[in-house]
Amino acid sequence: MRSIFAPEMRGCGVVGRVLSGRRLGQRVPTAPQAAGFSAEAGNRPQPRRSSKPSGPLRDRSFPGLLQLENLSREELVNVLRAAVVEQKGPLVTLNKPQGLPVTGKPGDLTLFSVLPELNQSLGLGQQELQIVQAPGKESSGLVLLSSCPQTASRLQKFFAHSRRNQRPTATYCAITDGIPAPLEGKIQAALKLEHIDGVVPVNPPSRKDILEGVKRTLSHFCVVATGSGCALVHLQPLTVFPSQLQVHMVLQLCPVLGDHTFSARVSTVLGQRFLLPAESTKPQGQVLDEALLRRLHLTPSQAARLPLHLHLHRLLLPGARPRDAPIELQAPLPPYFSRTLELLRLHQQ
């Protein structure tokens, strides 16, 4: 594999005193308790949409999918402004479209590259926005921006402390090709980022491996609905590593729908799935069986453009005072994600 992947999450959030939200108890809810996200997100006000008759988000096969190659800087700023979930004080929360890179090379169209224009569009004047938290390019969901360095520092400390104490603060929603067994548990794996082969599992890691960039990673997962041989899964990363959640689901032999990077490592013989060696498996478009293609109303060529169904849906954030309960923020699911849920009949159990 020949690309290096951006992290799926970075350690930051928003401060309770300036952002409203539903307060939770100190214990992070398990996925079954939080499984009602679909209805709750549907009741939230939807982001404003562009009034242009043919905007950059139009795609009949995958509604709401960002067509980055057709966007100008001005159009991207308009898309991001319409995706703002909440703006209070120095903090801005928006719902990032899938496919938008957070950072990149000079001259690339990224979230970071248009921050000055977004800053002006939101009326923040001379205050400079900085990215505090964001999912990776291929994922969608909550992005946190701050114009206050002190606020950003406090949030970084909160998330770092939560990780050290194995308290999940981020919940991703994923649709997987396959149903994990067991339906709930932890995924632990030692991963290494290779410039040629991408993210490679290392088992077991030696002391030398640790010195050479191997990191022990951990995620919680819980299946909250099943249908058509697929599953709706809540994923909560407890470590930070590039493409961690995608790789973890591949190790469960249940790649995320739209994973055109790591899904090729899962092969099937006589109905039994097994893992291919990372070193001998090159990235390719995800191959779905005919029954699943029919259920999704997709042709093989359309399936090759299937977006990654991995969405940062929920974040727990620090309250105004140390003893206050955390605050919860949510980002509505993308339209194509909701459509897939309906087609696969993945409803809350």
Side-chain angles (χ1 to χ4, degrees):
M1 298 186 180
R2 302 186 179 277
S3 56
I4 299 177
F5 304 97
E8 289 299 339
M9 65 171 289
R10 301 181 183 181
C12 231
V14 289
V15 177
R17 62 185 173 81
V18 293
L19 278 182
S20 61
R22 181 163 58 87
R23 290 193 173 274
L24 303 177
Q26 292 295 335
R27 181 177 179 272
V28 178
T30 61
Q33 292 171 321
F37 71 89
S38 186
E40 185 171 346
N43 291 332
R44 292 172 60 87
Q46 295 298 311
R48 294 166 289 171
R49 303 293 183 185
S50 171
S51 58
K52 296 175 66 175
S54 57
L57 295 180
R58 284 190 179 276
D59 189 309
R60 293 183 179 179
S61 301
F62 309 112
L65 185 64
L66 180 68
Q67 304 297 311
L68 185 63
E69 64 275 11
N70 300 325
L71 281 180
S72 66
R73 293 179 66 90
E74 181 182 0
E75 287 175 328
L76 178 55
V77 171
N78 289 337
V79 167
L80 294 176
R81 176 167 178 155
V84 170
V85 176
E86 191 159 12
Q87 178 182 355
K88 286 189 177 181
L91 299 176
V92 177
T93 310
L94 59 87
N95 193 3
K96 186 185 84 70
Q98 188 274 345
L100 175 64
V102 178
T103 59
K105 297 179 295 185
D108 289 349
L109 190 61
T110 65
L111 172 62
F112 179 80
S113 72
V114 298
L115 283 183
E117 292 96 322
L118 182 62
N119 192 86
Q120 294 299 318
S121 179
L122 296 175
L124 296 178
Q126 299 300 316
Q127 304 176 69
E128 294 185 2
L129 282 173
Q130 57 181 304
I131 299 171
V132 179
Q133 199 279 348
K137 173 185 175 181
E138 300 303 328
S139 302
S140 57
L142 283 167
V143 169
L144 302 177
L145 307 172
S146 175
S147 59
C148 174
Q150 290 78 14
T151 297
S153 176
R154 181 194 171 197
L155 298 172
Q156 294 284 358
K157 292 177 181 178
F158 168 78
F159 281 91
H161 183 266
S162 297
R163 286 196 301 273
R164 283 195 301 269
N165 289 277
Q166 294 195 7
R167 292 199 299 264
T169 55
T171 300
Y172 285 75
C173 297
I175 300 178
T176 61
D177 177 17
I179 301 172
L183 299 179
E184 183 176 2
K186 294 181 179 180
I187 305 170
Q188 301 184 67
L191 302 178
K192 183 177 182 180
L193 185 63
E194 297 279 3
H195 288 268
I196 295 177
D197 297 314
V199 179
V200 179
V202 178
N203 187 31
S206 65
R207 179 176 297 180
K208 180 181 178 182
D209 289 329
I210 299 299
L211 293 175
E212 293 179 350
V214 174
K215 182 175 180 179
R216 292 183 175 90
T217 60
L218 173 65
S219 300
H220 289 167
F221 74 95
C222 184
V223 175
V224 295
T226 61
S228 305
C230 296
L232 171 62
V233 185
H234 282 177
L235 296 168
Q236 296 177 316
L238 286 167
T239 51
V240 180
F241 196 84
S243 304
Q244 171 177 317
L245 296 179
Q246 289 171 252
V247 175
H248 279 185
M249 294 316 297
V250 165
L251 294 177
Q252 294 294 106
L253 303 179
C254 298
V256 179
L257 274 185
D259 182 352
H260 303 297
T261 302
F262 302 103
S263 63
R265 297 181 184 176
V266 179
S267 187
T268 305
V269 173
L270 299 178
Q272 297 297 315
R273 293 190 175 191
F274 62 95
L275 200 63
L276 294 172
E279 297 79 3
S280 61
T281 308
K282 301 303 179 184
Q284 64 182 41
Q286 189 174 35
V287 178
L288 305 177
D289 63 40
E290 293 184 4
L292 183 54
L293 288 174
R294 287 195 299 270
R295 176 70 72 179
L296 295 174
H297 301 164
L298 296 176
T299 65
S301 61
Q302 289 173 325
R305 297 187 294 109
L306 187 69
L308 185 70
H309 284 57
L310 183 62
H311 179 75
L312 178 48
H313 172 65
R314 179 184 291 110
L315 279 173
L316 292 182
L317 314 167
R321 293 176 297 273
R323 293 187 178 182
D324 286 353
I327 289 174
E328 181 183 277
L329 286 182
Q330 294 187 8
L333 298 172
Y336 65 82
F337 198 117
S338 298
R339 178 178 183 268
T340 300
L341 289 176
E342 290 298 323
L343 291 174
L344 297 178
R345 299 179 180 177
L346 291 173
H347 304 299
Q348 177 185 347
Q349 294 179 332

